[in-house]
Amino acid sequence: GAAREEEAREEAAREVAVEEAAAREAAREMAVEEEAAREAAREAAAAERVRVEGEEEVSREVVKGEAAMEEVYQEEAARQEEAAKTEEVERGEEAARERSAAGGRTA
């Protein structure tokens, strides 16, 4: 009976050792999966930063584009205003010449 009890204890000890090894392996796999999850989270955060930076860059470019268009509009408005003034001055000079010519004929 004693030999059989010893054999049963050894068998139980082997089963415990196998279960402990399996538990250690499961813990290692879990640690690997957790590291993979952390890495995925880091990559997602990096991708989000890139996306946000991209949106900010697009916003900056839109603002620059709008400012450039505003400048073009203002330059065009100034050019048109200048052209209108020049035309008004030329009409005034022409009217003055016509008056002086008319005045010269009657004199």
Side-chain angles (χ1 to χ4, degrees):
R4 189 177 283 307
E5 282 178 21
E6 180 65 24
E7 198 176 298
R9 274 195 297 277
E10 287 174 3
E11 179 60 27
R14 279 194 296 276
E15 287 176 8
V16 167
V18 165
E19 288 171 4
E20 287 175 350
R24 281 192 302 274
E25 179 59 25
R28 272 195 300 274
E29 287 176 4
M30 199 177 295
V32 166
E33 289 170 3
E34 286 174 356
E35 180 53 35
R38 281 192 295 273
E39 179 61 24
R42 281 192 295 270
E43 289 175 3
E48 178 65 7
R49 278 192 304 277
V50 166
R51 186 188 66 76
V52 168
E53 288 168 6
E55 283 182 359
E56 289 171 353
E57 178 64 21
V58 166
S59 292
R60 283 192 297 274
E61 291 302 319
V62 166
V63 168
K64 277 189 212 168
E66 289 172 347
M69 289 301 291
E70 182 60 28
E71 194 176 320
V72 166
Y73 293 145
Q74 288 174 356
E75 287 172 1
E76 178 61 17
R79 191 191 63 71
Q80 287 178 0
E81 192 178 323
E82 189 59 37
K85 282 181 188 170
T86 301
E87 194 178 310
E88 199 175 312
V89 167
E90 287 172 354
R91 277 200 308 268
E93 289 173 350
E94 190 175 326
R97 280 194 302 273
E98 286 175 0
R99 279 195 304 275
S100 97
R105 279 199 302 272
T106 57

